[in-house]
Amino acid sequence: MPFADLELTDQRVKAVLCKIPRDQFVPEEYRSYAYENIPLPIGYGQTISQPYIVGLMTELLSLKPTDRVLEIGTGSGYQTAVLAELAAQVYTIETIEPLAKSAQEILTRLGYDNISFRVADGYFGWEEASPFDAILIAAAAEEVPPPLKKQLANGGRMVLPIGAPGKTQTLWRIIKQNDRFIEENKGLVRFVPFTRRG
Ligand code: SAH
């Protein structure tokens, strides 16, 4: 099974990674590498994340089947599929329109019907659909966008890389408890930059 040997603790997450056809989300010329545990180019200077990091970020969200999730940085749509398998509804935002379109096409073809798509700057989140039980950001910002903190439900979890672009960043899990935010450092990662548009 592809990805069965990734060092993840949540077996549900691992089962989902084994089930989703990652080759469908990868441009044709890289398809032979789709089941390697590496990031790959998806065009527009962006990458499909490394499967281990997708799994790690997902397990840190501790998703329940009733959860509503916000994802910033749809990219290829691969992480979106993982979230859609484990949560009730996924709201995903991407700034680069052709990537959003292609992700939507692939996810529709694979039969996902619990994903809402938007082309916009994810900095502002998706106010009308908030609050979210979980928020995942797949691009590195220098600080947590304040609107996203506001849109997190009480007890909600946010997982995101924070740090300067072009270097390694720190992966953080932030848990909202009443008016407090508990921040946990989950180690070093490397992501494409969070870019402001519009
Ligand atoms: N999980 C995705 C990761 C894609 S890379 C995958 O595995 O395919 C991160 C994505 O975030 C890129 O597609 C980039 O265009 C997008 N992005 C960067 N800044 C953004 C912003 N402010 N709002 C929405 N998306 C953004």
Side-chain angles (χ1 to χ4, degrees):
M1 282 281 242
F3 309 141
D5 55 353
L6 294 181
E7 279 185 41
L8 297 167
T9 49
D10 188 331
Q11 295 308 311
R12 289 177 321 149
V13 173
K14 208 187 250 192
V16 164
L17 290 180
C18 290
K19 171 181 162 184
I20 296 172
R22 188 169 182 254
D23 59 315
Q24 298 295 302
F25 296 87
V26 167
E28 227 166 282
E29 62 264 43
Y30 297 110
R31 228 156 248 179
S32 53
Y33 302 104
Y35 295 99
E36 305 288 332
N37 183 25
I38 51 173
L40 292 166
I42 53 171
Y44 310 93
Q46 308 304 324
T47 53
I48 178 172
S49 307
Q50 180 190 353
Y52 169 69
I53 295 295
V54 169
L56 177 65
M57 290 175 83
T58 306
E59 76 181 14
L60 289 172
L61 290 176
S62 309
L63 294 175
K64 293 188 291 295
T66 51
D67 279 351
R68 294 152 42 74
V69 184
L70 175 66
E71 178 191 40
I72 310 296
T74 316
S76 67
Y78 177 66
Q79 169 83 71
T80 321
V82 175
L83 299 172
E85 290 276 352
L86 295 164
Q89 185 71 29
V90 180
Y91 297 83
T92 187
I93 307 178
E94 169 60 54
T95 39
I96 301 176
E97 187 164 13
L99 286 179
K101 280 242 166 75
S102 151
Q104 183 164 7
E105 255 169 51
I106 296 164
L107 290 162
T108 304
R109 174 156 42 82
L110 291 176
Y112 292 98
D113 59 2
N114 59 339
I115 303 169
S116 309
F117 297 85
R118 179 177 275 187
V119 177
D121 182 349
Y123 180 91
F124 301 103
W126 196 317
E127 172 116 52
E128 316 86 271
S130 71
F132 299 100
D133 304 295
I135 299 180
L136 185 153
I137 308 179
E142 306 228 11
E143 55 150 21
V144 188
L148 298 184
K149 279 179 132 176
K150 275 212 186 94
Q151 293 174 25
L152 195 59
N154 192 20
R157 293 82 55 200
M158 186 185 316
V159 174
L160 77 168
I162 291 282
K167 301 188 193 162
T168 52
Q169 302 97 24
T170 303
L171 186 66
W172 290 92
R173 172 163 66 180
I174 299 176
I175 301 172
K176 189 171 189 170
Q177 272 182 7
N178 303 315
D179 281 332
R180 288 199 323 131
F181 290 92
I182 299 162
E183 302 181 347
E184 300 167 352
N185 180 333
K186 297 294 178 182
L188 293 177
V189 287
R190 192 172 186 134
F191 273 84
V192 297
F194 188 91
T195 40
R196 303 295 315 280
R197 301 276 157 97

